Amino acid sequence: MDVFETHTGVGVPLRRSNIDTDQIIPAEYLKRVARTGFEDGLFAAWRKDESFVLNNPVYAAGSVLVAGPHFGTGSSREHAVWALMDYGFRVVISSRFADIFRGNSGKGGLLAAAASQDDVELIWKYLENNPGAQITVDLVSRTVTAGEIVAAFEIDDYTRWRLLEGLDDIDLTLRHDSEVAAFEATRPSHKPVTTLA
Amino acid sequence: MAGTLAEKVWDAHVVRRADGEPDLLYIDLHLLHEVTSPQAFEGLRLAGRHVRRPDLTLATEDHNVPTTPGPITDPVSKIQVDTLRRNCDEFGVRLYPMGDDDQGIVHVVGPQLGLTQPGMTVVCGDSHTSTHGAFGALAFGIGTSEVEHVLATQTLPLKPFRTMAVNVRGRVAPGVTAKDIILAVIAQIGTGGGQGYVIEYRGEAIEALSMEARMTVCNMSIEAGARAGMIAPDRITFDYLKGRPHAPQGADWDAAVAEWVTLRTDDGAVFDHEVDIDASELTPFVTWGTNPGQGLPLGEFVPDPESFADEGDRMAAENALAYMGLEPGTRLRDIKVDVVFVGSCTNGRIEDLRAAAAVVEGRRVADGVRMLVVPGSAKVRLQAEAEGLDGIFTEAGAEWRLAGCSMCLGMNPDTLAPGERSASTSNRNFEGRQGKGGRTHLVSPLVAAATAVRGTLSSPTDLHTDILQEV
């Protein structure tokens, strides 16, 4: 997983609340066997609408999604995080995230930054007045800077530490590799293996 | 301190325990199938990681495989199966593919090979992994990123589960099976009643069950919302395991048994929750709705949604009856079916097929009813054929198929047509589970077979009062 300290990129204002994971990526994309390439499924239904924000070429390089409250509700599918990241998003800003989505984001390396709804409104206005403007998300200081606006955001200490260190769940476990090896050395010999001749 | 069976197995697998962190749990056996593993392998590939313990990992093809001879025709199914083959080859994981004598439903294959043993931790990207708990193993389903985690590290970071005892007291009457017990348990505690728990099934009725019947009980733990189900290992468990290909041998066997006999909940251990069921009152059980908790004894009637005190239950019943096309007050025995499915990881083992065959032997599947018998594994099929069960089924007018998950979830061509109604020995009666618009009644193999003969939901005693001496 990549280290995340600060990110500057095009902010995309998505003025919708309760964006569920079926909207982020519909179920039909779940039959795939690949781990990447889910960007074409991102907001697939909404993207059929020409006026949808991601269809505006100004936001083609968008990497910071600024969405309404209750982002990521519904099905637990990890594909929602994969689709956002495959599309190019590194950060989602919302005043409230669904628990499972927030957990999946931390695992996948997507920063789910919880800002106040007042600040989200200010950032929306800034982005709409300055389409294609870049905003900076600083995980070290837990702030978003959009023009003159400097907004604080919340993220739990553990997830922040993991993102700053660039550690996914597997990396974290691999740090304890010697403990795993020590445990393995104590396993009784009667435990089965699958590789019987 | 006195501990429960689940706590003992958990504690024996803790690699690392630290304040503020989940326990890091060692996994003894990781089972894979083609649906939930592709992205896990892809994740390894992208991160340049390898499979830590291919020798504790086993794959089989089950969800997508056709149960008639010939290649897979559905392109999505074919891609999933081909991907599994490529991944197993690349990462050095043993795979039992279609056509292999050891292929079958992952939860039938593990126990049959003797790989599932008491006191082990077993995981698979599949919710019915709870099946393996019948051996006193701690076995549970995991998500795809957890599959990747286990492949890479052979461990999982987990918070301990809570413990629940389900005490099935007394003995069941003849003709009442493990399936009836578990459907009654789920109807009592509800589909969310087990959430966050490991259930330990205890009591005389459980101790009297064969290993295969115990697997049926543990298999459906997830339908009560539980993470896992367990039964303490005993002489029946050891006898089942002895001599199987992966069971310990010689001195290892003795050492294993010496450890296994300690795997019991201590006297004085406290469960977080306890539930009691009187086995002697149980009769054949069937579901009438669209979740496994919506079940009743076969002698009952389709319930009136108004009879439910809880508003949520009432609405669920209304929706279920609308979907199922049923009227309140209808005798369950009068419900006519189009399809009977015998198979799945719940009831696709040899004893299940023997029970169903004993009922249909010398009888005919009713006109207008299609009966599908799908062995849970290739080995089960071969055993059944050696015993002549295939001939009994086909002479009765049933279809005898190759092993796989089949109509349990209709990922292969075996599906219900819209509006068709089945009596099914599988585990989920969700809307659309067996095919879009399909209507499922969950039943035991005995009820499935009797239903096939009569064409309406039936128990064997509806065919012939002395039949239970035959089966």
Side-chain angles (χ1 to χ4, degrees), chain A residues 137-171:
Chain A
V137 182
D138 186 337
L139 183 57
V140 179
S141 64
R142 304 189 207 213
T143 55
V144 182
T145 307
E148 302 290 304
I149 306 159
V150 180
F153 68 83
E154 286 177 18
I155 181 167
D156 70 89
D157 290 338
Y158 183 68
T159 305
R160 174 173 172 268
W161 169 74
R162 287 178 48 177
L163 288 167
L164 287 172
E165 298 282 322
L167 294 170
D168 64 19
D169 273 350
I170 294 175
D171 289 319

Side-chain angles (χ1 to χ4, degrees), chain B residues 344-463:
Chain B
S344 83
C345 60
T346 311
N347 281 127
R349 285 170 286 266
I350 190 70
E351 289 177 10
D352 300 313
L353 303 192
R354 285 178 190 145
V359 174
V360 300
E361 184 166 17
R363 299 188 168 87
R364 289 287 304 171
V365 172
D367 286 345
V369 174
R370 183 177 158 224
M371 183 182 192
L372 219 65
V373 185
V374 183
S377 71
K379 278 273 160 66
V380 171
R381 177 176 61 82
L382 294 170
Q383 173 74 29
E385 288 175 359
E387 295 178 19
L389 304 186
D390 56 326
I392 294 173
F393 286 120
T394 51
E395 277 163 33
E399 297 172 41
W400 177 249
R401 296 296 190 87
L402 301 178
C405 296
S406 181
M407 196 182 271
C408 176
L409 79 171
M411 279 189 81
N412 78 342
D414 306 333
T415 55
L416 293 179
E420 271 192 330
R421 186 181 300 283
S422 76
S424 175
T425 67
S426 55
N427 42 56
R428 285 182 175 150
N429 50 345
F430 296 160
E431 291 185 15
R433 168 87 174 177
Q434 295 190 295
K436 201 174 175 189
R439 296 159 168 168
T440 304
H441 296 274
L442 300 178
V443 299
S444 72
L446 288 176
V447 169
T451 299
V453 172
R454 279 172 46 98
T456 57
L457 293 178
S458 304
S459 70
T461 48
D462 294 327
L463 302 177

Side-chain angles (χ1 to χ4, degrees), chain B residues 152-382:
Chain B
T153 70
Q154 205 58 32
T155 65
L156 267 184
L158 286 168
K159 296 201 180 93
F161 306 143
R162 289 179 292 170
T163 58
M164 180 189 297
V166 170
N167 306 305
V168 188
R169 303 195 192 280
R171 303 202 76 146
V172 294
V176 178
T177 67
K179 185 66 162 283
D180 304 306
I181 293 175
I182 190 63
L183 285 173
V185 168
I186 299 165
Q188 178 164 332
I189 70 176
T191 53
Q195 213 145 33
Y197 288 101
V198 179
I199 296 176
E200 184 183 333
Y201 301 95
R202 298 153 61 82
E204 194 186 351
I206 298 296
E207 287 163 19
L209 295 175
S210 71
M211 276 321 295
E212 297 198 352
R214 293 178 187 186
M215 285 189 247
T216 300
V217 171
C218 289
N219 171 275
M220 289 191 72
S221 302
I222 183 69
E223 311 313 334
R227 281 305 299 265
M230 298 177 88
I231 294 172
D234 58 12
R235 183 52 54 195
I236 291 171
T237 319
F238 309 153
D239 288 348
Y240 176 94
L241 278 166
K242 185 140 196 170
R244 291 194 181 259
H246 291 262
Q249 293 177 1
D252 270 349
W253 172 263
D254 297 334
V257 173
E259 182 196 308
W260 295 344
V261 295
T262 67
L263 296 170
R264 311 193 69 80
T265 292
D266 294 324
D267 292 339
V270 179
F271 290 91
D272 295 314
H273 188 62
E274 293 212 38
V275 171
D276 289 305
I277 304 260
D278 183 351
S280 65
E281 288 180 0
L282 296 179
T283 56
F285 223 81
V286 300
T287 63
W288 49 267
T290 52
N291 74 55
Q294 291 174 321
L296 279 171
L298 177 61
E300 294 282 337
F301 300 80
V302 174
D304 185 342
E306 294 303 319
S307 68
F308 292 93
D310 179 80
E311 171 70 22
D313 289 346
R314 186 158 59 239
M315 282 185 48
E318 265 172 32
N319 292 337
L321 294 192
Y323 180 84
M324 294 294 288
L326 294 173
E327 290 297 324
T330 306
R331 270 165 37 111
L332 293 172
R333 273 196 165 84
D334 289 341
I335 295 172
K336 206 176 160 317
V337 306
D338 306 295
V339 176
V340 170
F341 172 65
V342 175
S344 83
C345 60
T346 311
N347 281 127
R349 285 170 286 266
I350 190 70
E351 289 177 10
D352 300 313
L353 303 192
R354 285 178 190 145
V359 174
V360 300
E361 184 166 17
R363 299 188 168 87
R364 289 287 304 171
V365 172
D367 286 345
V369 174
R370 183 177 158 224
M371 183 182 192
L372 219 65
V373 185
V374 183
S377 71
K379 278 273 160 66
V380 171
R381 177 176 61 82
L382 294 170

Side-chain angles (χ1 to χ4, degrees), chain B residues 15-76:
Chain B
V15 171
R16 176 188 160 81
R17 179 171 282 169
D19 279 347
E21 289 180 26
D23 283 353
L24 191 63
L25 213 63
Y26 198 81
I27 302 303
D28 289 320
L29 178 64
H30 187 192
L31 301 168
L32 301 168
H33 62 67
E34 74 275 15
V35 178
T36 50
S37 65
Q39 279 109 359
F41 280 113
E42 182 73 4
L44 291 186
R45 206 175 280 120
L46 290 171
R49 292 176 177 136
H50 62 282
V51 176
R52 182 185 175 90
R53 294 295 301 264
D55 61 329
L56 303 183
T57 312
L58 183 74
T60 183
E61 298 167 1
D62 56 11
H63 281 59
N64 283 279
V65 302
T67 56
T68 48
I72 300 176
T73 51
D74 175 64
V76 174

